[in-house]
Amino acid sequence: MTNITASSKVFGRRKGKQLSSRQKESIKIHLTKYSVFKSRADGSYELQKVDLTNLFGNLKDFELEIGFGMGDYLFQKALVKRTTGFLGCEVFENGVASLLTRIRDVNLKNIFIHPGNCIDLLDNLRGANLSAIHLLFPDPWPKNKHHKRRFFTTENIDKMGYALKKGGSIFVATDILEYAVQIISSMEKRTDFKVENYLIKEFKSPLGTKFQTKFERKAYASNRVPRYMVFQRVA
Ligand SMILES: C[S@@+](CC[C@H](N)C(=O)[O-])C[C@H]1O[C@@H](n2cnc3c(N)ncnc32)[C@H](O)[C@@H]1O
């Protein structure tokens, strides 16, 4: 996997189980084709403002998933919503490999990924008019001393607001009640977002299919109740 130039620190695991030769090959061949940013010879990325029309050709509707994990949700959404361009970012290289393999298998053309820090991507999506941002089971960092690592800070909510179009929504799921409460209370204080819905049962695709992610399955398996929230950008 290439080294990634990140503008800010990334916490958590970047590597897991040793990649298989199929996964390594998939990354090598397909990352260039499906990467949002061009890579340099040293393996870093040329971070620059993302031109979605240039990237996706004639598509006009765009969504982003932050921390797509193994790519289950992003892949399924892109498969059924072919007229929407999907962006995804993930720092965990096994997850990137897993998604790339699936994209390659069906030659999906409406996904581009950034295999690096979501902040680098968000900073280059200002004014991108996204219709949705999905954050499914963001790392909860349960210890008090680690709460500052959590994604939902004022600064990051601002960045999402700049990338979304007016009327666009942030979809969030977490199985940690205390984190859900923190997210809702941060969003309720804002005038640029309205709490459209929370504790809705599940996110459904336009076709009514339910796409479970790995961490969602883990939550149910451990009898933890996932909380689902939707926040709409209103200003
Ligand atoms: C708890 S996992 C959830 C994964 C997946 N969404 C799911 O529901 O199965 C959180 C994911 O966010 C990714 N992540 C954490 N910080 C990130 C960052 N700064 N940029 C991109 N991805 C990040 C992690 O690598 C991890 O895969």
Short mmCIF file of all heavy atoms in Angstrom, two decimals, residues 49 54 79 102 110 139 157 173 189 205 215 217 226 234:
data_model
loop_
_atom_site.label_atom_id
_atom_site.label_comp_id
_atom_site.label_asym_id
_atom_site.label_seq_id
_atom_site.Cartn_x
_atom_site.Cartn_y
_atom_site.Cartn_z
N LYS A 49 -8.29 20.39 -4.97
CA LYS A 49 -9.76 20.51 -4.96
C LYS A 49 -10.35 19.47 -5.91
O LYS A 49 -9.89 19.30 -7.04
CB LYS A 49 -10.15 21.92 -5.39
CG LYS A 49 -11.61 22.24 -5.13
CD LYS A 49 -11.84 23.73 -5.34
CE LYS A 49 -13.29 24.11 -5.51
NZ LYS A 49 -14.25 23.64 -4.56
N ASN A 54 -15.61 16.33 -13.38
CA ASN A 54 -14.46 15.76 -14.09
C ASN A 54 -14.27 14.29 -13.72
O ASN A 54 -14.01 13.43 -14.58
CB ASN A 54 -13.23 16.60 -13.70
CG ASN A 54 -12.08 16.36 -14.62
OD1 ASN A 54 -12.30 15.99 -15.77
ND2 ASN A 54 -10.87 16.52 -14.12
N LEU A 79 -23.96 0.12 -6.13
CA LEU A 79 -24.48 -0.90 -7.05
C LEU A 79 -25.95 -0.60 -7.42
O LEU A 79 -26.34 -0.76 -8.57
CB LEU A 79 -24.39 -2.26 -6.35
CG LEU A 79 -24.33 -3.53 -7.17
CD1 LEU A 79 -23.19 -3.50 -8.17
CD2 LEU A 79 -24.16 -4.73 -6.23
N ARG A 102 -14.17 -5.89 -4.93
CA ARG A 102 -15.58 -5.98 -5.32
C ARG A 102 -15.91 -5.03 -6.48
O ARG A 102 -16.67 -5.36 -7.37
CB ARG A 102 -16.48 -5.72 -4.11
CG ARG A 102 -16.56 -6.97 -3.25
CD ARG A 102 -17.52 -6.82 -2.14
NE ARG A 102 -16.93 -6.06 -1.05
CZ ARG A 102 -17.59 -5.72 0.04
NH1 ARG A 102 -18.86 -6.02 0.16
NH2 ARG A 102 -16.99 -5.07 1.00
N ASN A 110 -19.15 4.10 -10.73
CA ASN A 110 -19.61 5.28 -9.99
C ASN A 110 -19.06 5.35 -8.56
O ASN A 110 -19.72 5.85 -7.65
CB ASN A 110 -21.15 5.36 -9.98
CG ASN A 110 -21.80 4.12 -9.39
OD1 ASN A 110 -21.24 3.02 -9.47
ND2 ASN A 110 -22.95 4.28 -8.78
N ASP A 139 -15.30 5.46 14.88
CA ASP A 139 -14.61 4.97 16.08
C ASP A 139 -15.11 5.73 17.31
O ASP A 139 -15.04 6.96 17.36
CB ASP A 139 -13.10 5.18 15.93
CG ASP A 139 -12.52 4.24 14.87
OD1 ASP A 139 -12.96 3.08 14.79
OD2 ASP A 139 -11.64 4.69 14.10
N ILE A 157 -17.58 19.10 11.76
CA ILE A 157 -18.98 19.31 11.34
C ILE A 157 -19.02 20.49 10.35
O ILE A 157 -19.71 20.45 9.34
CB ILE A 157 -19.91 19.56 12.55
CG1 ILE A 157 -19.88 18.35 13.50
CG2 ILE A 157 -21.35 19.81 12.08
CD1 ILE A 157 -20.50 18.60 14.87
N ALA A 173 -24.51 6.44 12.30
CA ALA A 173 -24.95 5.34 13.15
C ALA A 173 -23.87 5.09 14.19
O ALA A 173 -22.67 5.20 13.90
CB ALA A 173 -25.15 4.07 12.32
N LYS A 189 -27.05 22.22 18.69
CA LYS A 189 -26.59 23.59 18.98
C LYS A 189 -26.42 24.40 17.69
O LYS A 189 -26.25 25.60 17.73
CB LYS A 189 -25.24 23.54 19.68
CG LYS A 189 -25.32 23.02 21.09
CD LYS A 189 -24.00 23.25 21.83
CE LYS A 189 -24.00 22.50 23.14
NZ LYS A 189 -23.16 21.31 23.16
N SER A 205 -32.12 1.78 1.41
CA SER A 205 -31.78 2.26 0.07
C SER A 205 -33.09 2.62 -0.62
O SER A 205 -34.17 2.27 -0.16
CB SER A 205 -31.10 1.17 -0.72
OG SER A 205 -32.07 0.32 -1.26
N PHE A 215 -19.48 -3.49 11.45
CA PHE A 215 -19.63 -3.04 12.83
C PHE A 215 -21.09 -3.05 13.28
O PHE A 215 -21.36 -3.17 14.48
CB PHE A 215 -18.96 -1.67 13.03
CG PHE A 215 -17.49 -1.83 13.27
CD1 PHE A 215 -16.62 -2.11 12.22
CD2 PHE A 215 -16.96 -1.77 14.56
CE1 PHE A 215 -15.27 -2.31 12.44
CE2 PHE A 215 -15.60 -1.98 14.79
CZ PHE A 215 -14.75 -2.25 13.72
N ARG A 217 -23.17 -5.46 12.32
CA ARG A 217 -23.38 -6.89 12.66
C ARG A 217 -22.77 -7.19 14.02
O ARG A 217 -23.35 -7.88 14.84
CB ARG A 217 -22.75 -7.79 11.58
CG ARG A 217 -23.55 -7.83 10.29
CD ARG A 217 -23.04 -8.94 9.37
NE ARG A 217 -21.70 -8.69 8.86
CZ ARG A 217 -21.43 -7.97 7.77
NH1 ARG A 217 -22.41 -7.44 7.07
NH2 ARG A 217 -20.19 -7.79 7.37
N PRO A 226 -27.78 -0.34 17.95
CA PRO A 226 -27.30 0.78 17.14
C PRO A 226 -28.30 1.95 17.16
O PRO A 226 -29.51 1.73 17.18
CB PRO A 226 -27.20 0.20 15.73
CG PRO A 226 -27.18 -1.27 15.91
CD PRO A 226 -28.02 -1.53 17.13
N VAL A 234 -29.46 23.03 6.62
CA VAL A 234 -30.57 23.94 6.29
C VAL A 234 -30.07 25.36 5.96
O VAL A 234 -30.84 26.19 5.49
CB VAL A 234 -31.60 24.02 7.44
CG1 VAL A 234 -32.39 22.74 7.54
CG2 VAL A 234 -30.93 24.33 8.78
#
